[in-house]
Each structure stands twice: as C-alpha cells, then as structure tokens.
Amino acid sequence: MITIKYFGPMADLTARDEETISLLMLNVLELYDWLMETYKLESIPFSIAVNNEIVPVTSDVALQENDEIAVLPPYAGG
C-alpha cells in the first residue's frame, strides 16, 4: 500500500485529501500516468514528492510499500 496526499487545488480536483491504494505502480512515471487517467488532471500542472522529496514526474524512481506520496500544486516562492 502507498498513501497519496493531495494538497490545495489537487485536493479539490480529486475530491479527496488523502487515499491509500495498492501498489499498482512500479515508479513515479507510472503513478503520474495513473493520476492523469484516474483524475483527469490535465488542467493544472503538479509535482510529486516521494517521502518528502520532490521528484520529476517523468522519473523512474521506484515506489516501495508504505511510501508517502504528495501531489502538489504549482507554488510560488518568495
């Protein structure tokens, strides 16, 4: 199982703050594809963090059981 947390507009678009799913994906790119297919997130760019570390959505970083995934909206620094 992996836990996916959604923040800001991402929570609005998915209609949830968090969900736990079976480990269906092997890497971040597969997770990204699943998110796009499941929630139709084409309308807003987003980042993915694995265990508090942002990784490129095209990454082949492997996902492991009990990973915590954060789906983050665009943000501005200051």
Side-chain angles (χ1 to χ4, degrees):
M1 302 296 276
I2 58 173
T3 300
I4 304 173
K5 295 184 177 188
Y6 302 95
F7 295 90
M10 306 316 295
D12 295 336
L13 289 170
T14 61
R16 62 193 75 231
D17 294 325
E18 181 177 307
E19 69 181 313
T20 302
I21 61 172
S22 296
L23 187 61
L24 304 171
M25 295 62 96
L26 299 177
N27 61 43
V28 172
L29 178 57
E30 291 174 338
L31 172 63
Y32 175 82
D33 290 342
W34 179 82
L35 290 166
M36 294 296 281
E37 182 178 318
T38 303
Y39 295 113
K40 311 297 185 227
L41 300 177
E42 296 87 8
S43 64
I44 187 168
F46 61 92
S47 299
I48 295 175
V50 178
N51 299 322
N52 299 314
E53 184 176 327
I54 294 177
V55 296
V57 295
T58 58
S59 173
D60 63 354
V61 168
L63 298 175
Q64 305 294 320
E65 286 289 329
N66 301 315
D67 276 349
E68 184 175 283
I69 309 299
V71 179
L72 307 166
Y75 57 92

